Amino acid sequence: MPVQIYHQLRELVGRGLLTRRRILLQVILILLTILFETIGLSLLIPVLKLIESGAGVVDELAMQSRYWRIMKDTFDIVGLTLNLSSLLLIVFGMICLRQIVRYTAQMSMSHTKQMVERDLALRLFRTTLHSAPLALQDVGTGRFTFMINTLANGAATILRTHAAFLNGVIVCAAYLAISIPLAPIPTVVGILLAGLVMTAMGKFARLARAISSRSVDLRQRFQNHLAERYQNWRLIKLVDSVEPETKALTRWAQRIYNLDIDSIRMSALTDLTVVPVMTGLTLSILYLSVSVLHIQVTQIAVLIMVLIRLEPVVRSFSQQRQAMARFGPQFDRAISDLDEFSKLREQDGGGRELTGVTQEIEFSDVTFSYPGSEKPTLEGISVRIPARQMTAIVGPSGAGKSTIVDMLPRLLRPASGRIRIDGVPIEDFSLSSLRRSIAFVSQKSVLFDMTIAENIRYGRPDMSDEMVADAARLAQADEFITRLPGGYQTQIGEGGVKLSGGQQQRLALARAFASGAPILILDEPTSALDYESEAKIKQVVQGILDRREKTIIVIAHRLSTVAAADTMIVMEQGRIVEAGPPARLDNSGGWYKRMLDMQNTRAGEVQ
């Protein structure tokens, strides 16, 4: 156990989550606590001796005993009279000092624990979100929240176990230093027997650690299960699966219940074994001291106090081993996850700053495959996207349209080929400036459970209220925002649930405009909207296009959405099969012409 504590503390110090100064302070406070307690306890011997012999025997005792002579000289030096009242006052003072230092130690430990938990949670959060997108998308909501909440807390809680263990070691050493002179043989025998008991208890600790490891895995998967079910509550209701899901959840809960009971059983078995054994050892030591060694009554009284105090300390050792077994796997998992995502950190790129697009965005012979895919998602993509124009990317589902736009902000990296902005490879730009230059509006609006104003200024918290309102007006969102009772301070719920689909999209557009990014990517922005909402979005996009301020890339299935595009790129099976102005493609007889005719026919049938 000491070796494990050393390695865990070294791990925290090495990662900057804990300082040696903090550890030293805690050790000093523990030492002071035990020092004051030991002094107070050791003074009980002369207190009991004076009670037994009378107050006037101090000089006689000083002549007979070196211990009393040293104590009398010490009292004389500080100007105190050695008597019962002065000894009792000092004992009381030592107890008060012990409690003050103990309070300070507890508060220091709490500050340290909370600080480590906070910093570890932040480190896990930051490191995970800085990891490569392909790795990040495999994490899952449950695992992510489990790392931040449960693992960080468990890893930090283990510090309390370390402090309690160290406190117990020092208490035992101090009390043994008192008891060995009083009853050396029984004390040594007791130490040996207690050591054997603690060694035997190691089996329970190993079992508890194995149970805790399984519990960490199970609880992480359970949290994933819960998060997924809540995110899909609408489907669960629509297919009437509340009861089957509840039954499935019951099975999960039962497995966790069984593991928790097993863990509690290990702890209870430890107490069941340790308490009777330690009580038997204590009574045996007292019997030997009185019946065999004939120790004086005053010494026996102090020995009884020492043994009574030692019993919960020794029992605490077993409890700390159980705590180590419980929280150790959480500590190990937190450190393992930190290492895993640190290795997966995405590369920043060059030091150039991207401030805008003046000429074009060029894809040159770009190929890409997702891990585990036998067939390339993109193959030999070569295309130029003119600056300050609208380029539409169309094609059937699975053609690779979204993959192309994900490569521009380097969410995905090509297996071969290059992507350039104004002739400069995107790897030469800093990742921060590249992504700040791209505003993204997806098919499903990404909104947070914040106010409307906070959602619009997300990413630019320093924006003024006037700038927020300007962005909303540009996105034609101001008209519905001002009708809301709270206006721009309206809380919109998780994912913007309190808004309609069209309102969510216009709010997402407002955020994109507020960012000031020179590149605007719209990924199926109207596919889930009614025609009225689609018309509003198209009107907004047309207004941007007319001003020629941004390079717009639109992915769409509805060709009516991109009718105003300057350039049309048609994709099939990861390749570009057509590219050019819509008017030219309309006469080509290819996929674009066929889909345009089909959609026009459907529109005529609806009318």
Side-chain angles (χ1 to χ4, degrees):
M1 188 170 175
V3 175
Q4 185 178 359
I5 291 174
Y6 169 76
H7 285 302
Q8 289 174 342
L9 291 177
R10 189 178 66 174
E11 193 77 54
L12 292 174
V13 171
R15 294 174 184 272
L17 294 166
L18 186 64
T19 63
R20 290 184 175 86
R21 182 179 297 179
R22 278 266 178 189
I23 297 174
L24 180 60
L25 173 63
Q26 198 64 39
V27 171
I28 291 174
L29 289 173
I30 291 174
L31 287 171
L32 287 175
T33 301
I34 306 306
L35 174 65
F36 292 135
E37 183 171 355
T38 305
I39 292 174
L41 185 61
S42 63
L43 287 177
L44 288 177
I45 296 177
V47 166
L48 293 174
K49 189 67 175 178
L50 286 179
I51 293 174
E52 179 186 20
S53 304
V57 297
V58 172
D59 292 335
E60 182 180 342
L61 290 171
M63 294 177 62
Q64 296 175 356
S65 169
R66 183 184 177 189
Y67 171 79
W68 279 92
R69 186 164 59 252
I70 293 174
M71 189 162 55
K72 185 176 184 303
D73 291 341
T74 303
F75 271 64
D76 291 340
I77 290 173
V78 298
L80 293 176
T81 302
L82 178 58
N83 53 38
L84 182 61
S85 60
S86 62
L87 284 174
L88 290 175
L89 283 174
I90 292 174
V91 170
F92 178 74
M94 291 298 105
I95 293 174
C96 290
L97 285 173
R98 182 199 66 182
Q99 291 305 109
I100 292 172
V101 177
R102 186 177 182 182
Y103 167 81
T104 305
Q106 289 174 341
M107 292 306 300
S108 175
M109 186 67 252
S110 296
H111 280 296
T112 301
K113 186 261 181 186
Q114 295 302 129
M115 178 191 68
V116 170
E117 179 179 352
R118 177 200 65 197
D119 293 349
L120 181 56
L122 291 174
R123 187 81 63 86
L124 283 167
F125 178 85
R126 184 187 303 111
T127 304
T128 303
L129 289 182
H130 271 309
S131 61
L134 284 178
L136 187 57
Q137 70 183 12
D138 292 334
V139 173
T141 305
R143 181 184 177 187
F144 183 70
T145 55
F146 186 78
M147 282 192 302
I148 306 304
N149 293 329
T150 306
L151 293 185
N153 176 267
T157 301
I158 209 167
L159 290 174
R160 291 188 184 278
T161 302
H162 296 344
F165 179 81
L166 177 62
N167 182 80
V169 170
I170 298 174
V171 166
C172 285
Y175 284 176
L176 290 175
I178 296 173
S179 63
I180 286 178
L182 298 177
I185 296 176
T187 301
V188 171
V189 172
I191 292 172
L192 295 175
L193 293 177
L196 292 175
V197 172
M198 294 303 297
T199 301
M201 292 300 100
K203 179 180 180 181
F204 291 139
R206 288 189 294 272
L207 289 173
R209 186 175 181 86
I211 292 170
S212 183
S213 294
R214 295 200 303 272
S215 179
V216 169
D217 292 333
L218 184 60
R219 286 180 183 277
Q220 179 176 295
R221 289 187 284 125
F222 178 62
Q223 200 150 337
N224 268 328
H225 181 86
L226 287 178
E228 190 175 46
R229 266 51 186 181
Y230 178 74
Q231 290 167 0
N232 296 287
W233 63 266
R234 186 182 299 275
L235 175 63
I236 292 173
K237 280 184 170 292
L238 289 175
V239 299
D240 193 28
S241 289
V242 174
E243 292 307 317
E245 287 293 344
T246 303
K247 290 180 181 178
L249 190 66
T250 301
R251 290 192 292 271
W252 280 96
Q254 185 63 39
R255 293 174 65 189
I256 292 174
Y257 167 84
N258 292 338
L259 284 175
D260 286 346
I261 290 298
D262 288 343
S263 179
I264 293 170
R265 183 180 294 110
M266 290 300 102
S267 180
L269 284 173
T270 300
D271 278 348
L272 178 66
T273 305
V274 170
V275 173
V277 170
M278 292 309 301
T279 301
L281 286 176
T282 300
L283 295 176
S284 300
I285 290 173
L286 288 176
Y287 177 79
L288 288 173
S289 301
V290 174
S291 302
V292 179
L293 301 176
H294 306 294
I295 297 175
Q296 297 179 9
V297 174
T298 55
Q299 294 175 317
I300 291 176
V302 175
L303 184 60
I304 289 173
M305 293 190 67
V306 169
L307 293 175
I308 291 174
R309 182 68 181 90
L310 276 177
E311 189 273 333
V313 173
V314 174
R315 180 155 46 93
S316 175
F317 278 139
S318 294
Q319 294 172 347
Q320 302 316 317
R321 293 188 73 168
Q322 293 294 321
M324 286 284 289
R326 178 184 176 188
F327 296 112
Q330 295 184 28
F331 179 93
D332 295 341
R333 179 66 61 83
I335 298 301
S336 174
D337 286 345
L338 202 58
D339 288 339
E340 175 187 347
F341 291 109
S342 295
K343 294 174 183 176
L344 295 172
R345 185 183 178 94
E346 57 184 343
Q347 298 176 0
D348 186 19
R352 299 186 64 165
E353 292 292 310
L354 177 61
T355 57
V357 185
T358 59
Q359 300 172 22
E360 63 182 10
I361 300 170
E362 178 190 6
F363 287 75
S364 178
D365 197 25
V366 171
T367 299
F368 175 80
S369 296
Y370 285 98
S373 176
E374 297 179 358
K375 186 178 179 180
T377 305
L378 298 177
E379 189 172 1
I381 298 296
S382 295
V383 69
R384 298 175 186 270
I385 299 174
R388 297 192 179 93
Q389 293 186 20
M390 178 175 171
T391 299
I393 304 176
V394 298
S397 297
K401 304 183 297 296
S402 296
T403 303
I404 280 186
V405 297
D406 280 348
M407 301 189 86
L408 191 55
R410 289 175 55 195
L411 293 178
L412 302 175
R413 299 173 65 86
S416 62
R418 301 300 290 269
I419 304 172
R420 298 179 178 86
I421 297 178
D422 291 341
V424 180
I426 60 172
E427 292 81 9
D428 291 353
F429 296 111
S430 70
L431 201 56
S432 178
S433 73
L434 176 64
R435 290 177 178 172
R436 283 199 310 268
S437 299
I438 302 172
F440 198 96
V441 179
S442 61
Q443 175 180 351
K444 180 174 174 54
S445 302
V446 180
L447 300 171
F448 295 100
D449 186 9
M450 302 186 295
T451 65
I452 287 176
E454 289 171 332
N455 270 283
I456 292 176
R457 58 165 57 100
Y458 184 77
R460 290 191 60 188
D462 57 338
M463 283 181 61
S464 65
D465 292 341
E466 290 76 15
M467 295 173 68
V468 169
D470 288 342
R473 280 190 288 270
L474 187 60
Q476 296 191 15
D478 183 68
E479 57 179 277
F480 81 79
I481 294 174
T482 53
R483 289 199 302 268
L484 296 171
Y488 282 86
Q489 300 308 312
T490 301
Q491 293 283 149
I492 63 173
E494 185 176 356
V497 68
K498 296 180 181 180
L499 302 178
S500 69
Q503 290 171 338
Q504 291 176 10
Q505 283 296 66
R506 279 181 279 167
L507 190 56
L509 278 169
R511 181 177 62 207
F513 298 155
S515 70
I519 302 172
L520 176 61
I521 297 176
L522 306 176
D523 188 354
E524 300 281 5
T526 63
S527 62
L529 303 181
D530 55 48
Y531 284 102
E532 182 180 355
S533 298
E534 180 185 7
K536 288 183 179 292
I537 299 298
K538 287 168 64 177
Q539 188 177 356
V540 172
V541 174
Q542 186 62 51
I544 306 169
L545 188 59
D546 291 341
R547 286 187 292 273
R548 299 294 177 181
E549 294 175 346
K550 296 180 183 293
T551 301
I552 305 174
I553 303 173
V554 184
I555 296 175
H557 278 103
R558 290 183 189 173
L559 298 183
S560 59
T561 305
V562 292
D566 299 286
T567 303
M568 196 76 65
I569 299 172
V570 181
M571 295 189 65
E572 283 189 282
Q573 297 183 351
R575 292 177 174 273
I576 295 176
V577 295
E578 295 180 272
R584 193 180 78 192
L585 298 186
D586 193 13
N587 298 320
S588 66
W591 184 93
Y592 177 79
K593 172 63 174 174
R594 295 195 305 272
M595 290 303 299
L596 185 62
D597 291 343
M598 184 184 299
Q599 292 186 15
N600 287 337
T601 301
R602 289 178 179 174
E605 292 173 354
V606 171
Q607 292 176 355

